[in-house]
Amino acid sequence: MKLDQTIRSAIDQGLVIPACPLALDADRRWNQRRQRALLRYYLDAGAGGLAVGVHTTQFAIRDPRYGLLRPLLEFAASEIKKCRRPVVAVAGVCGTTEQALAEAGLARECGYHAGLLNLSALVSASDDELTRHCQSVSEVLPLFGFYLNPDIGGRPLGLAFWRKFCQIENVVAIKIAPFNRYQTLDVVRAVVEAGRDDIALYTGNDDNIVADLISPFVFEHQGRRVERRIVGGLLGQWAVGTRAAVAMLQECHRAAGGENVLTKLLRRNVELTDINAALFDAANDFAGCVPGIHEALRRQGLLEGTWCLDPRQALSPGQGEEIDRVLRLYPDFFDDAFVRERCDEWLSD
């Protein structure tokens, strides 16, 4: 299944996509009247899309005791179809491959454009196994990748996985929601290094929404620097104050369109985070944080080696290559010329 060009263009431009809650009555039964009111509110507020069957909708709708997944997807799709403008319909897709394929098929049957793919059920799967799972689901429904915060049910997904994920042709967007700047950079970097300018980036980082939307992310691809932006948000927070969120996204788009002092500082913020990820060894839970600092100082001639009192403290596998990368990309952050000029003097007796 391929996306209609109008829908694809809307996703690429950047949208407010509320993650829709489930409306219940006092007896915890589904309240269709309130559900319809919620959906109409989001559409009238100018939301460019709706996400249904996702974390905010409650994963328990899939439990046979409730049997709400199909009724809710069909109900929301019918309201979306009544809208007089294009609205991107995103369905949550969960579970092992068998379950995910069934849910993707159901979403496609109901008229949804993409599946927000939750990988939490595959907690012990390798990167290759995860990629095969994602590839299989993408053959049924275009994918909205999803980095869910591990503290609320997600699982860690490293740079290596995201590089593989970005090779899947039918990925149209990624929701970045680890609530972690290093992990956020992993996703953007993987998209750039894969050469995918057709994957839209969406924030789910509730702790950094505005900064995500106005920050320029710059990484290297084939010898040149490529800038990417996070263009919209798929957020449970935007299930409240949706009209205000639409106005704020428009304001962020305007701010991102011009190069000003704030934009330059935000770019520097992204670059500095990328440097810290290498020096402090974020990819390995900071195991090499002290040797990483030592290594940068060793290369400048201020230290002779990276040794620590604990011989187990050493550079992690691949950390040296990461330090190579950030030293090459961001020379302005390092005092190389200054140190080179004065190092001998500093080391003299």
Side-chain angles (χ1 to χ4, degrees):
M1 173 182 171
K2 297 294 183 181
L3 278 182
D4 172 83
Q5 189 55 48
T6 300
I7 295 297
R8 183 62 182 264
S9 296
I11 293 173
D12 291 345
Q13 180 181 352
L15 304 169
V16 166
I17 305 180
C20 191
L22 177 67
L24 301 175
D25 64 18
D27 295 319
R28 295 183 173 81
R29 293 176 302 194
W30 185 30
N31 188 325
Q32 294 189 23
R33 176 169 170 265
R34 297 288 182 179
Q35 194 73 59
R36 184 179 293 108
L38 270 182
L39 295 167
R40 290 175 175 175
Y41 159 54
Y42 299 140
L43 295 172
D44 286 351
L50 289 175
V52 185
V54 294
H55 181 268
T56 306
T57 319
Q58 302 177 43
F59 294 134
I61 61 173
R62 294 163 173 81
D63 191 314
R65 290 178 295 171
Y66 308 113
L68 283 174
L69 180 60
R70 176 182 284 273
L72 188 60
L73 289 179
E74 292 177 339
F75 187 86
S78 68
E79 288 299 317
I80 291 172
K81 289 174 184 175
K82 295 174 186 176
C83 193
R84 296 182 178 179
R85 57 183 173 82
V87 176
V88 176
V90 180
V93 175
C94 302
T96 60
T97 302
E98 182 180 4
Q99 178 183 341
L101 288 172
E103 292 191 7
L106 172 61
R108 178 174 177 170
E109 177 187 334
C110 293
Y112 285 78
H113 301 113
L116 184 68
L117 187 58
N118 188 327
L119 300 175
S120 302
L122 305 173
V123 64
S124 60
S126 68
D127 287 349
D128 286 339
E129 290 168 334
L130 286 175
T131 305
R132 287 194 293 270
H133 169 82
C134 297
Q135 176 65 51
S136 296
V137 179
S138 78
E139 293 169 8
V140 179
L141 192 68
L143 293 188
F144 222 112
F146 187 14
Y147 199 161
L148 174 63
N149 181 353
D151 290 339
I152 57 174
R155 55 157 291 172
L157 298 167
L159 177 63
F161 164 74
W162 288 111
R163 283 173 170 155
K164 294 175 185 292
F165 181 81
C166 290
Q167 299 301 320
I168 298 173
E169 181 182 0
N170 211 18
V171 172
V172 297
I174 300 174
K175 171 181 174 176
I176 309 172
F179 302 0
N180 179 298
R181 302 318 287 164
Y182 300 117
Q183 293 166 345
T184 294
L185 292 192
D186 281 345
V187 180
V188 184
R189 179 179 163 191
V191 172
V192 170
E193 292 179 353
R196 293 292 299 270
D197 58 4
D198 59 342
I199 295 178
L201 299 173
Y202 276 67
T203 184
N205 286 323
D206 293 347
D207 60 344
N208 236 321
I209 296 170
V210 174
D212 274 354
L213 291 169
I214 62 176
S215 294
F217 295 80
V218 180
F219 291 99
E220 191 174 61
H221 175 59
Q222 295 181 345
R224 64 187 184 91
R225 294 191 179 192
V226 178
E227 179 177 301
R228 289 300 305 268
R229 298 274 186 166
I230 293 175
V231 297
L234 196 165
L235 291 149
Q237 181 177 334
W238 283 356
V240 178
T242 308
R243 191 176 184 209
V246 171
M248 186 189 73
L249 180 61
Q250 293 170 346
E251 185 178 359
C252 288
H253 282 174
R254 287 193 296 270
E259 182 76 2
N260 53 40
V261 173
L262 178 59
T263 303
K264 290 178 181 178
L265 287 173
L266 286 168
R267 179 181 292 116
R268 300 288 276 179
N269 180 63
V270 170
E271 293 171 348
L272 191 57
T273 304
D274 194 25
I275 290 169
N276 285 337
L279 295 183
F280 280 76
D281 197 24
N284 296 288
D285 295 326
F286 308 100
C289 59
V290 175
I293 294 295
H294 289 187
E295 174 64 7
L297 294 171
R298 183 195 67 79
R299 295 184 188 204
Q300 292 179 317
L302 286 165
L303 291 182
E304 289 185 348
T306 63
W307 313 291
C308 296
L309 292 173
D310 184 344
R312 294 171 298 179
Q313 282 191 278
L315 292 177
S316 294
Q319 188 180 2
E321 290 79 1
E322 280 295 284
I323 293 173
D324 287 339
R325 182 181 66 85
V326 298
L327 287 173
R328 184 182 71 253
L329 282 180
Y330 314 119
D332 291 349
F333 278 94
F334 297 90
D335 295 329
D336 286 351
F338 180 66
V339 173
R340 187 166 52 248
E341 179 184 331
R342 303 193 182 192
C343 189
D344 289 343
E345 176 187 342
W346 296 334
L347 290 170
S348 63
D349 293 333

